[in-house]
């Protein structure tokens, strides 16, 4: 499993979303409050939905998680988006 995809899953879980990873290099994020869900996969260096909507780039998992959380109507984190060096 892709390390960055696992990082994205961790960021999504921090936002209260349920995440299922599969062996094909994609994940499914679900908001249990409203039953909204989204599948996310890698396309090159980009995270995308099944409809081809680009969520963001590899290396920016915190920002991607923020966008996905917004799409699923989950609380959005404020403050630094990426890990500070």
């Amino acid at each position: 499993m892709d390390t960055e995809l696992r990082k994205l899953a961790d960021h999504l879980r921090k936002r209260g979303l349920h995440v299922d990873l599969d062996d094909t290099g994609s994940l499914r994020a679900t908001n249990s409050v409203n039953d909204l869900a989204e599948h996310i996969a890698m396309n090159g260096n980009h995270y995308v939905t099944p409809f081809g909507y680009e969520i963001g780039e590899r290396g920016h998992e915190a920002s991607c998680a923020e966008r996905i959380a917004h799409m699923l109507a989950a609380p959005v984190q404020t403050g630094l988006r990426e890990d500070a060096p």
Side-chain angles (χ1 to χ4, degrees):
M1 180 58 58
D2 189 55
T3 303
E4 283 78 10
L5 200 61
R6 289 190 186 278
K7 287 180 188 176
L8 177 59
D10 289 341
H11 284 287
L12 291 167
R13 288 183 185 112
K14 288 178 186 176
R15 288 164 175 76
L17 298 171
H18 176 78
V19 180
D20 292 311
L21 294 163
D22 66 27
D23 293 332
T24 65
S26 66
L27 63 79
R28 181 174 192 257
T30 307
N31 184 344
S32 61
V33 174
N34 56 23
D35 293 328
L36 291 175
E38 188 63 71
H39 289 271
I40 305 296
M42 294 296 298
N43 183 0
N45 284 326
H46 300 264
Y47 295 100
V48 295
T49 69
F51 296 108
Y53 178 76
E54 185 179 316
I55 302 298
E57 292 183 90
R58 180 185 306 251
H60 299 276
E61 286 73 25
S63 295
C64 293
E66 190 173 306
R67 289 183 195 100
I68 295 165
H70 179 75
M71 291 167 47
L72 299 179
V76 176
Q77 175 183 349
T78 58
L80 291 177
R81 292 191 170 127
E82 306 303 333
D83 295 329

